[in-house]
Amino acid sequence: MKMISPENLDLTIAAAQFAALGSEQRLGVLRTLVRAGPEGLSIGELGARSGVSGSTLTHHMKILASAGLVTQARQGRSIICAAVAYADVRALSEFLLTECCADRAAPCEDHLHD
């Protein structure tokens, strides 16, 4: 998935990515991959670290991959999973916060950094 600026983030893409993150287990899997860094983890190690394994992990990885948030690649006999959409995840949060308090008559205090 290409990098998306928060100003041009299409609602459909944002909705799909938020939907992919709408499960505690999927969010946990993504956080585990983010913590692992760009090298990623084998599917077995991802399962051990995230507490999600087997067909459930496969299901969640398919949803996260469809949303463009993770990749899976075969390396020898292992499948390596990695978070790839750091910029997209950042753009999702900016998508929500970029217009913070835009409809208020008085400007908001900068409470985004609290």
Side-chain angles (χ1 to χ4, degrees):
M1 180 170 271
K2 64 179 182 162
M3 241 174 60
I4 303 165
S5 71
E7 305 83 49
N8 298 325
L9 187 61
D10 182 78
L11 283 175
T12 303
I13 293 169
Q17 289 179 328
F18 278 119
L21 297 174
S23 154
E24 286 182 38
Q25 285 186 329
R26 281 193 295 277
L27 191 54
V29 166
L30 181 61
R31 288 183 73 194
T32 300
L33 289 172
V34 168
R35 290 176 57 97
E39 297 81 25
L41 298 168
S42 70
I43 196 83
E45 185 63 23
L46 175 58
R49 289 188 190 186
S50 68
V52 180
S53 59
S55 62
T56 303
L57 180 57
T58 301
H59 169 74
H60 290 316
M61 284 300 297
K62 184 180 288 188
I63 292 169
L64 291 168
S66 292
L69 298 171
V70 301
T71 60
Q72 298 180 80
R74 184 167 294 280
Q75 283 186 357
R77 293 174 33 172
S78 297
I79 295 176
I80 304 300
C81 305
V84 294
Y86 298 100
D88 286 349
V89 172
R90 185 179 321 261
L92 281 173
S93 65
E94 290 173 4
F95 173 77
L96 288 177
L97 300 174
T98 199
E99 294 187 35
C100 179
C101 305
D103 292 338
R104 289 189 56 175
C108 294
E109 294 180 25
D110 186 12
H111 58 277
L112 299 179
H113 300 357
D114 290 347

